[in-house]
Amino acid sequence: MPKILIIEDDEKLREELKIFLNKNGYKATTLTTFDNTIQDILQTNPDLILLDINLPNTDGEYICKEIRKQSNMPIIIVTSRDNELDELLSINNGADHYITKPFNPLELIARVKSAYRRYTKYNEAI
């Protein structure tokens, strides 16, 4: 069962995502504080990250870039920022997918499956 870490400051959305993912065959956990986010991610060692860009005390773009330096775990940006520049920046910083809020939950599951499938095939090939 793939482990997904949700990094989202909107408590309601964070909990809805956790419940939805757990009901769909994933083990979802969340971060509720954002003071040591990069260290928390690396300690948790998830199989995939759902990452918001707008976070208190930190920036999702920076987190994405720093995690990518140390890990090839899939990163899916889930954000309210819906302009092409933010999407390009996220992809250039190492994000695998970029989803804008509000989103279709079935699209989220499809992107999670896609990113996780590529990640596991890549790791099997190494």
Side-chain angles (χ1 to χ4, degrees):
M1 180 180 309
K3 185 169 57 170
I4 298 175
L5 181 60
I6 301 165
I7 305 167
E8 167 66 56
D9 63 328
D10 180 325
E11 184 178 347
K12 184 177 183 219
L13 178 57
R14 183 173 62 227
E15 290 307 309
E16 287 174 356
L17 281 170
K18 181 179 176 182
I19 291 166
F20 178 72
L21 290 165
N22 285 335
K23 285 183 178 179
N24 282 278
Y26 299 94
K27 179 169 180 16
T29 59
T30 62
L31 286 185
T32 56
T33 61
F34 308 99
D35 297 323
N36 299 301
T37 308
I38 294 168
Q39 294 83 0
D40 292 341
I41 292 168
L42 295 173
Q43 280 183 326
T44 304
N45 194 28
D47 296 312
L48 185 142
I49 301 169
L50 295 181
L51 177 62
D52 190 7
I53 294 176
N54 299 317
L55 297 168
N57 306 324
T58 190
D59 174 66
E61 296 293 357
Y62 174 77
I63 292 168
C64 182
K65 187 188 316 183
E66 292 303 306
I67 291 300
R68 190 52 71 224
K69 289 178 184 176
Q70 301 178 52
S71 173
N72 67 344
M73 69 179 71
I75 301 170
I76 299 176
I77 301 292
V78 181
T79 184
S80 57
R81 293 189 188 177
D82 63 353
N83 67 63
E84 290 179 6
L85 185 58
D86 283 320
E87 184 172 357
L88 288 171
L89 183 61
S90 293
I91 299 302
N92 285 330
N93 283 333
D96 297 281
H97 289 287
Y98 189 95
I99 300 174
T100 57
K101 302 172 191 172
F103 54 86
N104 180 328
L106 297 177
E107 178 187 356
L108 177 68
I109 290 292
R111 290 181 186 261
V112 165
K113 285 180 182 177
S114 171
Y116 184 70
R117 184 173 49 248
R118 280 195 310 274
Y119 173 68
T120 54
K121 284 185 180 182
Y122 172 80
N123 283 337
E124 289 171 359
I126 303 179

